[in-house]
Amino acid sequence: MSSNPVLKNLPKVGIRPTIDGRLGGVRESLEVQTMNMAKSVAKLLAERLRHPDGSPVQSVIADTTIGGVAEAAACAEKFRRENVGVSITVTPCWCYGSETMDMDPHAPKAVWGFNGTERPGAVYLAAVLAGHTQKGLPAFGIYGRDVRDSSDTSIPDDVAEKLLRFARAGLAAATMRGKSYLSLGGTSMGIAGSVVDPGFFEAYLGMRVEAVDMTEVIRRIDRGIFDEAEYKKALAWVKKNCPEGKDYNAPATKRDRKQLDKEWELSVKMALIARDLMIGNPALKAMGRGEEALGHNAIAGGFQGQRQWTDHYPNGDFMEAILCSSFDWNGIRTPYIFATENDAMNAVTMLFGYLLTNSAQIFADLRTYWSPAAVKRVAGHELTGVASGGLLHLINSGPAALDGTGRQTAEGKPAMKPFWEITEAEVKACLEATTWHPSITEYFPGGGWSTRYLTRGGMPATIARLNLVKGLGPALQLAEGFTVDLPEKVHDVLDQRTNPTWPTTWFAARETGQGAFRDTYSVMNAWGANHCVMCCGHVGADLITLASMLRIPVYMHNVPEEKVFRPSAWNAFGTAGLEGADFRACQTYGPLYA
């Protein structure tokens, strides 16, 4: 399991079995069925969901069924003691809605009303959801499509899908709360995403921003404030496992071997120090550096780099790429969410994807749309299949996790997997598929190393980006699709037209023929920033659910309507145009932690 201290004491799911409180025959006849519903949900979550550290999701069930306000209050107190961050209410019957409902304003909440004819669980579901809507406490409603028998203790597939989606997103929201974003440096090259907004983090995510100047990295290098033994181990591992590739610099700008070796040494130290700044390091305390040993409780971070740092010191590419990967010199581990150019909005998008999938993320520029006609003209190749509408070229210097090579496999397809599913052979394959090139000196006068790899095609994937809009606040956009293989010669022709020392992913969005997804060009044309995040899997529905919990509207997606799962209160803002309703609901309720 992970040794990341930021991922300790993770939130639990609270399960609230509510019941008709009338004693004298009614309540007694429902006790077993109601409590069994709670137990079945806890079993489902434990079997199907894990936290980012690999541990199974734990549930806390109320000590008794909840028939009234006294038992609801006792349940709430137990949840506070047990670190419950998200609640699921279950019932097969009518209950007294306002007396039994979850009133915590910050915990995401759902209600499963059993679809059976013996007792009116659906009636309670509708009544309590109306209560949540009226009180401004949005809750997700879960109601199975088919009528079940009262003796049926199984969870229907459609109900299980919604329970799992809700719990994944709710736990992601709860895990972020109370953590930090570590801003190493400030604004990079005028990129708006690196103008870090503490108000956004506090109001929408329940996080704080920790700002540390990049001179702190130099202080720690110059004064030896890092684990020397681990540094030697890391440097030896790098020499063995990080093969150097072609130096693309012109003869006049090439750096000599002595300089390149020094850049490797500094790059490794930067990686150690950035990690220590995020999560702390007990080894520093043993050195008499108690303050530095604590870290900043950062679940995500970013490094400004350009230009104040990179005009004089090695770039952050190695640091960012290796931290974002699921492995390093210490073996297979949880990835760290660490953004290049201190793009905090991309870092948050990476964090969303990571907490929903437990896997590494690719940070990239959404660099180029290659139309079929342009590919044909430049490379003489006819795009077919999922790429028949064109390609998006994802490429950037910086933290494209090495998992992004696609050399891991799940269900016979290229993947980026949770660390506990990755094999040593897959780590080896990822490292062998990556070469490290002296950075282009004109871009990075201080030197450094750039990763180069090509993502395998055929991986189901989702690209996403969170943007800040003046007058509106945060808004999320996403696109599901697939990575694409190109013939080697075709890839080389297209890739050589830009910086050949950076990692490339060819991505084709799933077109719908409508709006921003009428074709792949429209996806590129509607993208709200220069950066995006790519996550393995089609996780758009999970991102939409999480965004609604945080009151962040989604203004562009290609998720089928039947997969969109938001609080029932959203229906009151319109059912014909779900995108517009989402904006109106988020604006009405405002940030979750405001």
Side-chain angles (χ1 to χ4, degrees), residues 262-538:
K262 182 180 179 182
E263 291 169 17
W264 268 127
E265 293 168 3
L266 288 172
S267 295
V268 172
K269 291 176 183 177
M270 288 166 62
L272 293 172
I273 289 167
R275 181 206 60 197
D276 291 352
L277 281 163
M278 288 183 72
I279 68 169
N281 188 343
L284 302 185
K285 185 176 182 179
M287 296 164 50
R289 294 287 184 174
E291 181 181 359
E292 291 90 340
L294 295 174
H296 289 269
N297 194 42
I299 196 170
F303 183 72
Q304 174 193 332
Q306 299 185 80
R307 287 186 42 211
Q308 285 82 349
W309 178 275
T310 57
D311 279 4
H312 187 60
Y313 294 110
N315 64 24
D317 287 25
F318 173 79
M319 166 182 63
E320 294 155 358
I322 204 67
L323 287 178
C324 288
S325 300
S326 299
F327 47 83
D328 61 15
W329 44 88
N330 290 320
I332 301 170
R333 52 147 175 84
T334 58
Y336 300 96
I337 302 303
F338 199 71
T340 194
E341 293 161 347
N342 197 28
D343 185 346
M345 302 313 291
N346 230 44
V348 171
T349 313
M350 292 168 73
L351 183 58
F352 286 179
Y354 167 55
L355 293 176
L356 291 169
T357 66
N358 298 326
S359 60
Q361 310 289 296
I362 290 179
F363 181 118
D365 274 355
L366 190 54
R367 179 62 64 97
T368 310
Y369 165 68
W370 278 99
S371 68
V375 173
K376 182 75 171 177
R377 178 182 65 82
V378 171
H381 177 69
E382 193 83 39
L383 293 175
T384 60
V386 297
S388 60
L391 290 170
L392 298 178
H393 191 181
L394 312 186
I395 179 173
N396 194 351
S397 168
L402 304 193
D403 306 61
T405 58
R407 265 56 181 185
Q408 301 163 22
T409 304
E411 299 179 355
K413 298 178 181 178
M416 293 187 285
K417 300 192 294 189
F419 78 91
W420 59 86
E421 295 180 3
I422 300 171
T423 67
E424 292 291 350
E426 288 173 327
V427 171
K428 185 173 185 290
C430 290
L431 289 167
E432 290 177 346
T434 305
T435 49
W436 298 85
H437 301 255
S439 61
I440 302 302
T441 307
E442 291 92 333
Y443 281 166
F444 302 111
W449 295 89
S450 296
T451 48
R452 187 187 191 195
Y453 64 69
L454 174 62
T455 304
R456 287 174 63 199
M459 181 193 301
T462 304
I463 62 170
R465 168 71 187 188
L466 188 65
N467 297 303
L468 283 179
V469 183
K470 186 175 178 61
L472 171 67
L476 182 68
Q477 56 185 164
L478 62 94
E480 294 182 341
F482 293 88
T483 61
V484 174
D485 281 326
L486 291 176
E488 184 177 355
K489 290 183 178 179
V490 176
H491 162 73
D492 285 341
V493 169
L494 304 186
D495 197 48
Q496 293 292 332
R497 291 173 68 99
T498 184
N499 192 319
T501 69
W502 295 345
T504 280
T505 303
W506 298 108
F507 176 80
R510 187 176 65 243
E511 299 174 359
T512 67
Q514 296 180 331
F517 292 92
R518 60 183 175 271
D519 54 28
T520 303
Y521 168 79
S522 298
V523 176
M524 176 76 180
N525 201 40
W527 207 251
N530 53 313
H531 291 152
C532 72
V533 172
M534 196 188 86
C535 179
C536 178
H538 290 157

Side-chain angles (χ1 to χ4, degrees), residues 16-22 27 65-75 95-96 98-101:
R16 309 173 70 257
T18 56
I19 199 166
D20 191 323
R22 288 173 286 193
R27 178 166 182 162
T65 55
I66 301 168
V69 67
E71 289 158 325
C75 173
C95 315
Y96 299 167
S98 63
E99 296 183 22
T100 59
M101 65 191 293

Side-chain angles (χ1 to χ4, degrees), residues 17-34 64-68 71 93 119:
T18 56
I19 199 166
D20 191 323
R22 288 173 286 193
L23 289 167
V26 177
R27 178 166 182 162
E28 293 88 341
S29 68
L30 294 164
E31 288 281 2
V32 173
Q33 182 186 4
T34 304
T64 67
T65 55
I66 301 168
E71 289 158 325
C93 61
R119 299 282 184 175

Side-chain angles (χ1 to χ4, degrees), residues 200-251:
F200 158 72
F201 279 89
E202 293 163 10
Y204 284 90
L205 309 180
M207 293 174 58
R208 70 173 71 205
V209 173
E210 292 282 284
V212 177
D213 194 89
M214 291 183 292
T215 55
E216 173 63 8
V217 179
I218 285 299
R219 185 182 79 91
R220 294 194 183 203
I221 290 174
D222 289 349
R223 301 190 180 193
I225 309 174
F226 54 87
D227 185 339
E228 182 70 28
E230 185 183 2
Y231 163 66
K232 291 178 179 178
K233 176 183 178 182
L235 187 61
W237 181 89
V238 165
K239 290 180 177 179
K240 180 180 179 181
N241 293 286
C242 298
E244 294 182 15
K246 179 181 177 180
D247 188 342
Y248 286 90
N249 284 290

